[in-house]
Amino acid sequence: MNELAERLARRYDAEGWHEQRKDLASISIPALRVRDVLAWLRDEEGYKHLSFITAIDNIERGVFTLTYTVRNHDTKHSLMVHADIIRENPVVDSVHLLWEQAWTYQRELKEWFGIDCPGSPRKDEEFVLEGWDQLPMMRRDFDSLAYSNATYAERPGRVTHDPAAYMKAQLYPEADQ
Amino acid sequence: MSSKKIEMAPLANEGLPLEERALFCDVPPREYEPARGVIEDFYNWARSQSLWILGFGTGCGAIELRPLMTSRFDMYRFGIQPRATPRQSSVFVIGGYASVKTLKRIVRSYEQMMGPKFVVALGSCTINGGMYWDSYNTIKRIDQYIPVDTYITGCMPRPEALLAGFQELKKIIRAGRAEGQNLYARNFEWYKENQKKVIKDWNMPDYNW
Amino acid sequence: MKRDRMPYIPPAERATPDLDSGKYLLMWQGPQHPGITGNMSLRLVIEGDTVVDCETHVGYLHRGFEKLMERRSWMQNFPLVCRIAVPEPDFNEYCYAAALEELSGIQIPEKAVWLRTFSLELMRLASYLMWIGGQAGSFGHGTIIQWSATMRDYVLDLFEELTGGRIYHMYIIPGGVRGDVPAGYFKHVLEVMDTVQKNLDDIELVMYHNAVFKLRAEGLGYIPPDWIDRYGITGPNARAAGIKRDLRKDLGYLAYPQLEFQPVVGSKSDAFERARLRLQEMYQCIDLIRQCIDLMPKEGPFRAKTPNPLYWKVPAGETYVAAECTRGEYGFYVVSDGSEKPRRVAVRGPSYTHAVSVMERLVRGVNIADVAGLMVSLHTYPPEIER
Ligand code: SF4
């Protein structure tokens, strides 16, 4: 498999090949080359099946890391292709022409992270939410609990425990003293 | 039905475009006025014996309705059967958590049901949010938005629990204590206010007949 | 559309019907509709009784799992994951547990491997039994579900005996399985398997040799083989098109390499072929369950030692674990940054492609009465689309 890593590095400045399992590896590429790399992988290297597209919010580094997972069904090998895009203006090329289901994932990226894929069909329509007026909710700076507490009425009497403290008090009450 | 004057103001239907407002009813729901004595008892007996469930699977709990409908648990023997449309059904089973998007449809389906109508809510999610207590998209208690007559606890409730719950509902109906529908009419404004607080893009009539 | 034009490949372009012309009707199928799988909706534009255009709307079951999982510790997430796909929870548990074990480098004991395989196959059988009732019902065949739902219930009883839960089992926990088999359990399993098998024979006679079902399902929803990669179709939907692709064989996870089976492959790729293929897979499940019982080690530990769940820190890393569920490739993508909570968990449900892009295309030109049957024949579950 390492020839693939070398070829990717030579052609597309890919780096950080990491062999996770014998049938799974990951690699990072520059975000501008996403469509080229995926098209090349699909057409030349046999990675014909797109498993999913998703993003990780690396807020500490100020980037979204996109993950495209593709599989080669002949060698039974999966490859996770990573690309970093900056958080302030997250735009990435759309791959909806390579795979017909990709637009759904890109619609999800738009709604859940605010990542824009210009040209992707129906990307601005609402996907799973309705009337959402907050930050895209999968961003790490969106606080789900605070929003929930502020919006939805709660039945009084519900208590929450810290699991560690609670279990200690229940099981080993004498341990503290 | 009743000749009592409607005290509430006509509904504004502000969610609708101007030209459509006239198409929809602007009368808020009214309370049901019971018949006299034994006749109402008879009515209640009849109501309790034929509970028709609205076939709307709103959450995880809907999956236990399948075994309930079929030969093993067979709810038909209790006079309970699923119906396809809200107009024919008298019981709305809220099958667990309700996301905001579904809540909108729940309100709409509930209002479209003909009275007398009853609501059964399944699972901890409808009671206090269950394990989605911190989710940004699911409500935490359903009785803020539509009135509930019986709760069935569990995550998820077993078919036997559902049957027991329906028996309980029958008892309540028989005793004439299934007041959900009246509650909704009485506190209509409060319910609407709660609903509109979470359903941000309110684009339907205020009361769907 | 006339049935003699089937199988029919719908146009790739979306039609742009002029809704004001009075020729078309805009209609919603769902979310409150008996002919829809679960809680989702289709926005159909029809001309006469032929569907011209379709848009799927999902999100009625969105609970925000992926966000919630970032807020909980690794073990607290465990009761959450099984709720992602309601009719088939065990695959969630397996994928999540396997991802966690891979990241923390935990080896699970031999017996746990077998018990996992066993319970996944049992789950597959239950899920197919649920599906077959829906498929028959959507073509107006009310009897089958009366049988199959009961058979499924017998299988759920087995789960209850093994795990204590009917629908959600939380059995395949990180590190192994939660409990050993109770005494005399496999005897029950074999009895139930005999009953189910007998029942399947009946179902085959009544349903698959029924003229109405055959006429309505044959040629409906044809998926050409070249769509498989373009649309990312997996599982029985792909195998019915003649593409031999089964992750149980390809990835060889759990005890599958030691079991004897061949993926069932079809060729005609229409609704009937898919239904036939799934029926054969049910027989295969029963066979695999029997094999599991024969080959399973009788003794030995069923759980590896795992760190204290309250302070469990998973080493930084990422992995993607996939498994073959009844609908196709089910996968969990798990990223850890070395803390007590996951950094990101993403779920890949097979319905994501089947129910949205494939469905939208296939439904064009279909008779309105067949939309429900087509949808069920793709075997879609909305909760795994929107999570
Ligand atoms: S109570 Fe449990 S089973 Fe019911 S909807 Fe909530 S999570 Fe699902």
Side-chain angles (χ1 to χ4, degrees), chain A residues 142-154, chain B residues 132-140:
Chain A
F142 171 70
D143 186 349
S144 178
L145 178 60
Y147 178 77
S148 168
N149 283 342
T151 318
Y152 308 117
E154 192 159 8
Chain B
Y132 311 119
W133 57 280
D134 52 350
S135 165
Y136 51 85
N137 201 36
T138 57
I139 55 159
K140 289 198 229 175

Side-chain angles (χ1 to χ4, degrees), chain B residues 54 57 60 63-64 67 70-73 84 86 97 99 101-102 131-137 155-156 158, chain C residues 31-32 39 58 60-65 68 71-72 80 83 87 145-146 149-150 153 157 160 166-168:
Chain B
L54 173 63
C60 315
I63 196 156
E64 287 288 35
T70 51
S71 49
R72 191 168 192 209
F73 294 100
Y97 61 88
S99 66
K101 201 168 174 176
T102 306
M131 57 173 60
Y132 311 119
W133 57 280
D134 52 350
S135 165
Y136 51 85
N137 201 36
C155 178
M156 65 190 29
R158 303 170 55 87
Chain C
Q32 192 271 306
N39 191 349
V58 297
Y60 299 99
L61 298 173
H62 178 68
R63 288 148 276 174
F65 278 113
L68 296 187
R71 299 193 67 254
R72 286 164 170 67
L80 269 186
R83 274 142 179 107
I145 188 159
Q146 303 284 346
T150 305
D153 245 81
D157 283 355
E160 204 174 333
R166 245 174 81 86
I167 305 285
Y168 299 130

